[in-house]
Amino acid sequence: KIPPQYTDMSMSRSLIAFSALLVEGSSFSPSNPWRPRRTENPCVLMSAPVAETITGEHLPKAVVFDLDGCLWCPDMYMLWGGGAPFKKQADGTLFDCRGSIVKMLGAVPEVLLELKTTDRWKGTTVAIASCTDEPSWAQECLRKFDIGDGYCIKDVMHHEEIYTANKQKHLRNLAEITGIALDEMIFFDNEMGNCKSVAKIGVTVAYVPKGVTAQMWELALAEFPAPGKIIRPPS
């Protein structure tokens, strides 16, 4: 039985997310973080209502991703001694100059292709917020990872904040550049420290320790908007 709080969402998305939890062996309970909530947070930059589609779902105006450990693995610093140039492989992975494999995680190609090509996401800003140790290597990977339909990762991104800094700075810069309020953004990162930092400024945050999986993508969208909250994988 679909919980009553999903009646204002698209039925198809609710079924997908609910099924994903069942596959993981989780059961629904009131403590399970499913339904959208708004968290009172003095750091939240208040904004106009979040974009709403014809299905009634609320979507973020900006979707922001970390890179290392979130979109791909391994982290760039783990390739020290090798690194660029990277060579495309038939299976969609990359080899560095030493033969080490770099691969996209979870459902990254599918999620990014959806953001690039579907009407659902028209007008949405997609961005990067990364502290990767090797920005030039990361740029090459962005250009060489194919996500389908002739697109690479870089084709999806409207803005890139790739430099060493607290992730709050990355997100605040994106807000200033785009004019999108922090509470209209969702941020995906595999490190809890970064998640806690960004949540403090009123962004909805998805903690993705295994990268952006289909399950966490659907769960994060089902929770949005949840300013200042960290959405975690089901236990």
Side-chain angles (χ1 to χ4, degrees), residues 44-51 61 179-185 227:
V44 173
L45 176 60
M46 298 309 295
S47 62
V50 178
K61 292 185 178 179
I180 298 172
L182 293 168
D183 65 336
E184 294 174 324
M185 298 183 180

Side-chain angles (χ1 to χ4, degrees), residues 31-49:
S31 61
N32 234 345
W34 264 70
R35 56 188 175 86
R37 303 168 190 158
R38 288 180 173 81
T39 304
E40 294 298 326
N41 188 323
C43 297
V44 173
L45 176 60
M46 298 309 295
S47 62

Side-chain angles (χ1 to χ4, degrees), residues 205-225:
V205 178
Y207 173 54
V208 288
K210 297 181 180 180
V212 181
T213 63
Q215 180 188 39
M216 280 305 298
W217 174 246
E218 291 293 340
L219 186 58
L221 295 183
E223 287 265 4
F224 186 86

Side-chain angles (χ1 to χ4, degrees), residues 55-105:
T55 62
E57 65 179 345
H58 289 170
L59 294 175
K61 292 185 178 179
V63 180
V64 187
F65 299 99
D66 177 38
L67 291 179
D68 292 342
C70 182
L71 296 189
W72 62 54
C73 70
D75 290 17
M76 293 290 102
Y77 81 87
M78 296 179 180
L79 300 176
W80 285 345
F86 295 89
K87 186 176 180 180
K88 293 183 181 182
Q89 302 301 303
D91 62 359
T93 63
L94 303 177
F95 279 3
D96 78 348
C97 66
R98 194 173 53 180
S100 298
I101 299 174
V102 186
K103 64 179 181 179
M104 289 182 282
L105 291 167

Side-chain angles (χ1 to χ4, degrees), residues 12-22 34 215 218-219 222:
S12 60
R13 205 183 81 203
S14 299
L15 288 171
I16 291 170
F18 192 67
S19 299
L21 282 180
L22 294 179
W34 264 70
Q215 180 188 39
E218 291 293 340
L219 186 58

Side-chain angles (χ1 to χ4, degrees), residues 60-65 115 121 124-128 185-186 188 217:
K61 292 185 178 179
V63 180
V64 187
F65 299 99
L115 287 167
W121 294 104
T124 301
T125 294
V126 186
I128 294 168
M185 298 183 180
I186 190 165
F188 293 80
W217 174 246

